[in-house]
Each structure stands twice: as C-alpha cells, then as structure tokens.
Amino acid sequence: MGMFKKNARNTPTPKPLPKLSHKIPSLVRGMHDLLPEDEKYWRAVREAAQKTADRFGYIYMETPILEETGLFVRAVGATSDIVQKEMFSFTEPSGVKLSLRPEGTAGVARAYLQHGMVTMQQPVKLWYYGPFFRHERPQAGRYRQFHQLGLEVLGDGHPVLDADVMAATHFFYQQLGLPVYFEVNSLGLPQTRKNYRVALIKYYRAKKKHLCEDCVVRYAKNPLRLLDCKNPQCQELMAEAPVLMDALDEESKNHFTQVLEYADAANVPYRLNPFLVRGLDYYTKTVFEIFYDKPEATEPVEIIEGQEKKDEGADEKIALGGGGRYDTLLKEFSGREVPALGVGLGLERAVTLLKSKNIKVKLFNEPQIYFAQLGDEARKVAMKLVQQMRQADIAVAERLSKDGLKQQLEYASKIGVYYAIILGQKELIDGTLILRDMENGIQETINADKLLEEVQKRLSAKAREGLKIQATIENRVIDTSESKEE
Ligand code: AMP
C-alpha cells in the first residue's frame, strides 16, 4: 500500500517514477552495443573462431585500429567504394592522415612486411578478430562499426591454400551450426583484368543510358563493379555481358581448376559465379563469397523446427563473408613477390542468422552446477566451497547475495545446469549438502567433505553421455553436406 496514494475518488494511482533530469547520452548513428542478451552468440562465435584457428594452424595477431589513410588507398584502391566514401578519416595536427581500418588485409600485409615475417617458414598463417569501420548508409546487415574474423595465408601461392582457407571458413560455420556455401570465381592476373575491363567498357558503351545512376559512375570509375549491381535492369544487361572466365589467362585457369579440385577433396560446398568480382582492387585469381545455405529437405539437426521467426532481412541473399587471393598486393607495398590470400567474415551477420533461425549454440566450459545457499551462516561455507570448486576447475554458477531457494533454483534451471547443490541450516549442522538432479528433480544427500569427488564423478558421466550425442550430431552435419554435393 505504501507504493500508492489515494486520490479524491479513492482509487489508487501508481507513484510516478522520478523524472530523468538529464538527457541520456545516445548511440552514434550506425553503431551498436553488443548486449548481454546476445553474449552467448558472440561467445559461440569467438570459441568457434579459436577452435578453427587451432585446428587449421593459424596464429593470432592484431593490428591497430588506426592506420595511415594511404595504406588503405594503396591496398583497397583509390576508386573503390570504401576509399571513395566509407572511411572514417582525420588529419593529425602533424598533418598525417589517419583512418579507422575498414578491412583487415591491408594492416596484416603491412605488419608481415614490417616485422620481417618473410623470414619465417612460409606460408605464414595468421588470424585476427576485431572491429572495423565503414561510413555506410545504415540498413539491415550494415553497420558503421562491425566485427570480422579474418584468416590470411602469406608467402605461398599454391592452389591448395585457397581450398584450405575455404575449408577453414566452412569448418567455422559448421561449428556454429550454420549451413553455408561459397560462390567462387577467378579474376585472373592483373593483365587479364585490364583486358576484361576494356571488353566491359566496349560492351556497356552503347547501353550507358539504360544503366542506373550508380552504374553510370561505376562505368566511368570502376567498370568491374557494374557486375555487382542489384538493380533488375542492370542485371538484365549483365546477362549478355562478356564473361571473365572466357578470357582467363592459362596460369589462372590452371590455378582455378586445382583450387576447385582441392575444394572437392575437402568437401567444401561451392557454386561457380562468373560475375563475382568483389569490391576491393587487390584481388587476383580466386575470389569467393560465403552465403547462408537455406536448408531444404534436410534440415540440420541444430535448427529447432517450426520456430523460425520473421528475421531481419537475413533470408535475403546477403554475404556472410568474402575473400580471395591477392598475389600482387605485397609486391606493390615492397617490391617483393609475396603471394597471399585471405578471407574476412562479418560476425554481426552470423549472429543475426543464429538468432533468427533459432540455432542452439554450443558453448564450452559453461557452468553445469549451481550452488544455492540459505541464509547468512550458509553463505560463508558456500563461499568457501564455491572457491574450492573453481580451484578444482569445476565451472560453478551461484548468486551468493540471494537467499530464497525458489528464486535460486529458478535461475539454475534457466541457465540449464545439470545439478544444483543446496546448503541450508540443517545441512550446515550435519556437514552435508543436497545434490539435486535438475533434469528429474531427484535429490540426495552427500557428505560436504566429498563434494569435489562427487561432482567430478557425476559431471564425467554427463560428459560421456554428451560426447555420444555430439558424435551423432557431427555425423549428421557431415551427412548433410555430402548429400547436397551430389
Ligand atoms: P567485404 O570484404 O567488404 O566483402 O566484407 C566482408 C564481410 O564483412 C561481408 O561479407 C560482411 O559480412 C561484413 N561486412 C562488411 N561491411 C559490413 C558492414 N557495414 N556491416 C556489417 N558487416 C559488414
């Protein structure tokens, strides 16, 4: 009753919340917070990234978020959309022009040269993870700050490496339970691209008046990008355009055939797309993009059927990532031949898909035990036992500031632990604990001195059970991709 005051007609009116006296600071347009409610997805992404890197032999590295603007102009190309209109740039008082990194390859290539990684055993396989910045028009799937996982392989031009990067990328999405496929193409050697550019200009010259506004600019500045346009009328024109594959030089043709053979051997699902060009200037030979492969007849096991929400544009064909070979980039930086390739995977798009498809993510080292205590006396002992469990490498969850058993058990079942341990007044006196199986509610009393042993014994049994289930899931995921290849 204290919450309500009575008005003249005797009806209670809720006490208003105190007014905010300050305007809350707001987010910068196009930026977004990674919130606790999405933490499990981001964690799954980070864990899948680490596992992929470990399995495929990539070493982690970081480059700074700020680099000289010239680095990106030289790498990505002065006529690219990124350099033309998407970089966050400023000039230092000393006059040096700096930019927030819009992509990862340029920085890694700089670091490789600057730190003499050329003297290491080649190829050098590196991976990175972090934020990137592009001043794009905010829309579904496009942010001004977004995160990428990147893989780069430097110092070796063998086609098996192109397939290895594709296999690692595929493995990453498999760990997340996301079915994907690649669209692949070859851009050939720089001279091939130049010849093809001339052929495209010739083809589009008489058709210029039918192009959309953007494409008129592309025609003048970067004709290869005409093939990227989504405008239906431009797409119609594209259907008759010359195909780069037909003009491919022998070396690139040979390289591409081998890449596809190695990709087949690694069971990487791909489709040829002769119009795939990618927006960055540094690519040579192989290029690819990764797309969500909508499961049809064979629904992957981790997707809970019948629960698909209307998603935010995730079904629309939107690239999850892209990459390719950049055999001439390091030569442009240093004069030295260093063939290389890499991939950048947009992580916001992966997280959006995981959420919209209700995919249950697998996390490592999540607490499987909850420790509930009742009252002040129990809290001290609980504190001691919880620390002992952590020292013994047992992941345990608790809410030591709370007292109510019902509330604590509700939380335990919400986070999905196998067991709850309960320490009340009676157990405190007896030197015992209650061990409750959260799946069936069965409770037993154990000796408090035997806590670690008892918990370890039970968790090992659950892990063995889990491994059996895991093996079945992984077999089914592999079956799915094999059946799609036929
Ligand atoms: P790109 O090299 O430009 O193709 O970028 C590689 C991947 O990064 C894309 O396929 C997207 O998944 C992601 N990405 C690029 N730009 C953005 C952005 N503005 N917002 C969110 N993700 C992005």
Side-chain angles (χ1 to χ4, degrees), residues 134 136 141-143 146 148 278 280 319-322 344 346 349:
R134 294 186 195 174
E136 298 192 78
R142 289 207 178 277
Y143 299 99
F146 58 95
Q148 276 189 355
R278 310 268 303 125
L280 291 69
L320 292 173
R349 292 187 189 175

Side-chain angles (χ1 to χ4, degrees), residues 123-406:
V124 179
K125 295 172 84 173
L126 303 168
W127 75 284
Y128 60 81
Y129 176 104
F132 294 86
F133 304 83
R134 294 186 195 174
H135 200 275
E136 298 192 78
R137 194 166 63 81
Q139 51 184 299
R142 289 207 178 277
Y143 299 99
R144 290 183 174 172
Q145 175 174 339
F146 58 95
H147 294 77
Q148 276 189 355
L149 156 66
L151 307 174
E152 310 283 351
V153 180
L154 301 108
D156 194 332
H158 200 288
V160 73
L161 296 172
D162 305 33
D164 186 63
V165 168
M166 290 167 74
T169 303
H170 186 228
F171 183 86
F172 167 71
Y173 289 109
Q174 271 185 327
Q175 298 315 299
L176 290 174
L178 278 178
V180 297
Y181 70 93
F182 290 76
E183 289 197 359
V184 282
N185 193 20
S186 175
L187 298 181
L189 297 172
Q191 190 53 45
T192 314
R193 274 173 72 166
K194 270 190 205 140
N195 298 346
Y196 182 60
R197 209 179 121 103
V198 172
L200 272 185
I201 293 174
K202 201 165 143 202
Y203 170 78
Y204 277 104
R205 189 173 296 140
K207 301 175 177 63
K208 232 163 74 180
K209 55 180 178 297
H210 303 297
L211 290 172
C212 73
E213 234 174 80
D214 284 346
C215 278
V216 173
V217 179
R218 289 182 183 128
Y219 174 84
K221 291 194 165 160
N222 195 349
L224 250 68
R225 298 283 292 161
L226 287 164
L227 306 178
D228 252 359
C229 188
K230 303 284 178 289
N231 178 306
Q233 204 174 327
C234 297
Q235 293 226 328
E236 247 175 64
L237 291 179
M238 203 188 298
E240 302 279 303
V243 173
L244 200 150
M245 193 65 74
D246 295 340
L248 212 57
D249 54 276
E250 272 312 304
E251 181 187 331
S252 301
K253 213 181 272 179
N254 197 0
H255 183 95
F256 195 48
T257 310
Q258 291 188 61
V259 170
L260 299 183
E261 283 169 6
Y262 290 123
D264 285 337
N267 239 325
V268 175
Y270 64 82
R271 299 170 198 172
L272 299 178
N273 175 358
F275 293 115
L276 179 70
V277 287
R278 310 268 303 125
L280 291 69
D281 273 7
Y282 52 57
Y283 289 113
T284 50
K285 296 185 178 167
T286 322
V287 285
F288 48 79
E289 285 190 340
I290 300 106
F291 294 94
Y292 175 62
D293 196 3
K294 235 195 225 173
E296 281 149 25
T298 45
E299 196 87 357
V301 273
E302 299 257 323
I303 291 181
I304 304 165
E305 283 185 56
Q307 281 194 21
E308 283 202 7
K309 281 188 261 162
K310 261 264 156 273
D311 48 19
E312 313 104 51
D315 263 356
E316 176 203 324
K317 197 177 166 199
I318 187 164
L320 292 173
R325 207 162 247 296
Y326 49 95
D327 283 349
T328 53
L329 178 69
L330 281 91
K331 189 165 181 199
E332 276 180 38
F333 280 0
S334 67
R336 182 182 267 156
E337 293 278 355
V338 184
L341 91 144
V343 67
L345 310 175
L347 302 177
E348 275 74 7
R349 292 187 189 175
V351 168
T352 302
L353 261 179
L354 289 172
K355 286 168 68 178
S356 67
K357 303 293 174 196
N358 275 307
I359 295 177
K360 245 177 111 189
V361 289
K362 286 182 275 179
L363 295 175
F364 303 99
N365 213 15
E366 273 196 306
Q368 306 300 356
I369 298 268
Y370 182 87
F371 201 113
Q373 80 293 330
L374 306 173
D376 267 344
E377 280 299 304
R379 196 175 343 262
K380 241 178 246 146
V381 179
M383 184 76 183
K384 186 174 114 191
L385 294 177
V386 161
Q387 298 320 316
Q388 277 179 6
M389 290 167 88
R390 288 182 177 139
Q391 292 294 335
D393 209 18
I394 298 168
V396 52
E398 40 66 30
R399 297 191 114 188
L400 288 179
S401 64
K402 301 288 180 235
D403 291 316
L405 182 63
K406 186 163 171 271

